[in-house]
Amino acid sequence: SNSASFDARLDLRGFRMEEATKELEVFFDKALMTNASSVRIVHGKGDGTLRKIVRKKMKEIPGITEFYHPEESQGGDGVTIVKFVE
């Protein structure tokens, strides 16, 4: 299966807006193709720009059931966990 080669974690820290947007598109495509049940996107806290890009992109993706920030020990609001329809 494809899922062996899919890493369900994306680290966007340090990316510029356009780069982050492209990375997210490819990442979500792969997640959907491999039927991932959830993914973890690390965007860092910073000024919230990357987090906004993640939010915006998620609105265009079918099959997302929920998303949330994990506990502080897991990255808090510097990380978004996205769950897909199983």
Side-chain angles (χ1 to χ4, degrees):
S1 78
N2 289 333
S3 54
S5 60
F6 175 65
D7 180 5
R9 179 177 179 280
L10 177 64
D11 191 342
L12 291 173
R13 288 173 298 186
F15 280 83
R16 292 200 306 276
M17 265 177 86
E18 312 83 68
E19 294 173 318
T21 302
K22 276 197 204 104
E23 287 288 319
L24 275 170
E25 277 167 11
V26 171
F27 182 70
F28 277 130
D29 276 352
K30 282 188 189 158
L32 294 170
M33 283 189 321
T34 57
N35 295 316
S37 56
S38 70
V39 296
R40 177 182 181 86
I41 301 167
V42 182
H43 39 68
K45 302 191 178 181
D47 60 3
T49 305
L50 287 172
R51 187 168 68 207
K52 285 192 193 94
I53 293 170
V54 171
R55 285 277 158 91
K56 184 165 170 270
K57 189 45 72 182
M58 285 192 303
K59 293 195 173 95
E60 302 166 16
I61 306 298
I64 290 178
T65 55
E66 63 166 325
F67 62 89
Y68 57 91
H69 300 303
E71 294 169 33
E72 270 308 314
S73 63
Q74 299 290 309
D77 57 11
V79 173
T80 298
I81 307 284
V82 183
K83 294 206 176 278
F84 298 98
V85 176
E86 299 268 359

